Structures are given as C-alpha cells and as structure tokens.
Amino acid sequence: MAPTSTPQTPFGRVLTAMVTPFTPDGALDLDGAQRLAAHLVDAGNDGLVVNGTTGESPTTSDAEKAQLVRAVVDAVGDRAFVVAGAGTNDTRHSLELARAAQDAGAHGLLAVTPYYSKPPQEGLLRHFTAIADATDLPVMLYDIPGRSGVPINTETIVRLAEHPRIVANKDAKGDLGRASWAIARCGLAWYSGDDMLNLPLLSVGAIGFVSVVGHVVTPELRALLDAHLNGDVTKATEIHQKLLPVFTGMFRTQGVITTKAALGLQGLPAGPLRLPLVDLSPEETEQLTRDLAAGGVQL
C-alpha cells in the first residue's frame, strides 16, 4: 500500500532521484537498489524517483526498468512513494513504459519533456496527455529545457493541469519568474528539480524537492523545508548557505557521475556507470571530497 498523499503533496515533499546501482560487471544490482532505497527513506525521503536521468534511464533496458521499479516498491513502497520515470522522446514507447511501471507497482509517473526532436507546444500537450491517459497513475511533468531543448510553456502547463491525473511538475527550468506565473495559474504541486534553487522555489510556491543531492544530505533538505514551512526564514537561509558547497560540488560535472562517486565514498551501493558516462578522475574525486566536507557531509 502506498503512503497517504494529498492534492497539495501528491508524492510527499522530499524525494530523491535515485541512481541505479550496478554490479562491478555492469549488470543491474537489485539488492543494492533495495538497500540504497531503504537507506534514503530511512534518511527522511518521502519518495524516490527511479528510472529518471539520475537513474541512467537512457542506458537501461525496458526490462531492467520494470525490474527496478518492482524491487524498490518491494523494499520501501509501504512507506515511501515510488515514482517511475516513463518519459522518452517517443510517445508510443513512453506509453509502454508507463503501463509497465504501473504493472510493476509504481505509485506515480515522471514524464520528461521529449528530448532531441524539439516538438512544438501542441506536440507536448498531446504527448503528456497520452501518458496521463495510459494508466491510472498520477503524473509529474518534468520541465528541463537544458536537456530536452524545449520548455513547457506556461500556457501549456495550465492546459495540462486540467487533466485529472497530471498533478505535479518537477521544475528544472531555472526561471523563477516563469515558475511564479505557472504556480499562480495552474494549481499543480510544484517540486524543485534544481537543488541550487530549492529555497528560492519554495519562496514562490513550490511544495518540495525532487533532489539529486538528497543522496547525501536528505536530513538537511528536510530541515530546510521544515524551517521554511515554519516561517523561520533565517534558519532556512542558513541551511541553504551551508549546503552551497554540496550543491556546487555535486554538479561540477554530470550529476550521476558525482552522485555515484559520493555514494562510493560513503560505502553505499552505486557501482559503475554505463557509457557514455565515465568515472570521476582522481583529481575530480579529491575536489568532490573537499566540496562535500565543506558542506558538512560525513565521509
């Protein structure tokens, strides 16, 4: 049974976009995934996003994606939301992934803007609507033009919000003005998808985070959120500033690379990366270690 959701917080407030652990030979590590999921929920996450970009979804097979959802749901699905990435740049393929995620027990879907093909807004509208129509699961849009090449315009977000199963948006657009207008008009639960902007997005109406740095600082993210909700702006700002080295260090290069390195430094399941991603160099690992230590992360 999934945790209890509300319209205001359909997937909770603090979620981590989880890496996909692999064995040393590059195979899917389901035992490691279950142990990592349990660790992240124990640390304070309300939910986990699997098979997203941070989960190396471009290089995992459809069968692996379904296996991962099933394993994580078995491990933590009774106490945390498990949201499965189902978005691709092919609508038909996305519908197949959405249905497979539902069959595997996912509590919700994450649907990223179709990448590379740069569809017009009408194409985005039809794509996301088709995904939302494909299952009974609630859907979180994922707006990340830096990766997809195309933003979801505010008018499109407002129209998509009319769909009863499109309930949330993960905002990695990096535009507080556009976020402000969209939040004011659409009524979707708004999640920060850019860790450096977690606090600023809360200030304009976001309700929580889908975080990468949550792999290493979930308690601090929870404390920042609680301080904001309690009206303690000074404390929230202090926590934000304390975490600046972590926000910076975890994105000096591609986030999956640094996250798996950070988990390895902590002795947690992660494993190797699949090409075209590659491990940090020794010098980059030393820099990451300094960044994490500067942000108070225990290694």
Side-chain angles (χ1 to χ4, degrees):
M1 180 178 294
T4 302
S5 66
T6 71
Q8 294 76 32
T9 57
F11 305 111
R13 291 188 181 274
V14 179
L15 297 88
T16 290
M18 196 179 94
V19 302
T20 299
F22 297 128
T23 61
D25 63 356
L28 188 63
D29 181 4
L30 292 177
D31 176 70
Q34 290 186 318
R35 288 187 287 121
L36 179 60
H39 166 80
L40 292 172
V41 174
D42 289 344
N45 280 284
D46 301 318
L48 302 172
V49 174
V50 298
N51 296 329
T53 309
T54 310
E56 294 178 76
S57 59
T59 53
T60 57
S61 69
D62 291 4
E64 288 175 325
K65 288 179 173 65
Q67 290 174 330
L68 183 65
V69 171
R70 191 168 289 109
V72 173
V73 170
D74 286 347
V76 299
D78 60 337
R79 58 196 182 105
F81 295 96
V82 179
V83 181
T88 72
N89 61 350
D90 174 355
T91 303
R92 289 181 298 176
H93 188 199
S94 300
L95 303 187
E96 293 170 0
L97 291 176
R99 294 175 184 128
Q102 177 171 256
D103 291 344
H107 303 134
L109 302 173
L110 179 74
V112 70
T113 313
Y115 38 85
Y116 187 73
S117 52
K118 291 189 174 181
Q121 293 299 305
E122 181 63 24
L124 298 186
L125 184 74
R126 296 186 192 186
H127 173 83
F128 289 124
T129 299
I131 293 174
D133 286 341
T135 77
D136 298 324
L137 298 177
V139 175
M140 180 189 295
L141 306 173
Y142 183 12
D143 187 8
I144 182 164
R147 288 186 183 275
S148 68
V150 175
I152 313 175
N153 289 345
T154 300
E155 292 297 331
T156 306
I157 292 173
V158 171
R159 291 175 68 188
L160 287 167
E162 296 173 1
H163 195 292
R165 283 187 294 279
I166 296 178
V167 300
N169 183 59
K170 177 184 176 184
D171 182 357
K173 191 177 282 175
D175 188 326
L176 293 171
R178 293 171 81 176
S180 299
W181 273 111
I183 292 168
R185 294 183 58 200
C186 74
L188 295 178
W190 210 263
Y191 292 85
S192 170
D194 183 344
D195 280 306
M196 185 65 82
L197 296 183
N198 284 346
L199 180 57
L201 277 166
L202 288 178
S203 73
V204 298
I207 59 93
F209 322 128
V210 177
S211 174
V212 173
V213 303
H215 284 92
V216 292
V217 292
T218 288
E220 290 82 358
L221 294 180
R222 173 68 67 182
L224 185 156
L225 177 65
D226 288 346
H228 174 80
L229 293 174
N230 291 330
D232 193 339
V233 176
T234 299
K235 182 177 180 181
T237 303
E238 288 174 352
I239 297 169
H240 169 76
Q241 292 175 348
K242 176 187 175 183
L243 292 175
L244 289 174
V246 180
F247 296 154
T248 299
M250 291 286 279
F251 294 99
R252 287 186 186 274
T253 185
Q254 207 271 358
V256 184
I257 296 173
T258 49
T259 299
K260 284 199 164 182
L263 291 171
L265 291 169
Q266 292 188 312
L268 291 165
L273 300 126
R274 289 183 177 175
L275 287 170
L277 302 183
V278 295
D279 291 334
L280 291 182
S281 69
E283 293 78 16
E284 289 171 325
T285 302
E286 290 177 5
Q287 179 63 60
L288 176 63
T289 302
R290 291 193 293 270
D291 290 332
L292 295 176
V297 177
Q298 299 296 315
L299 300 174

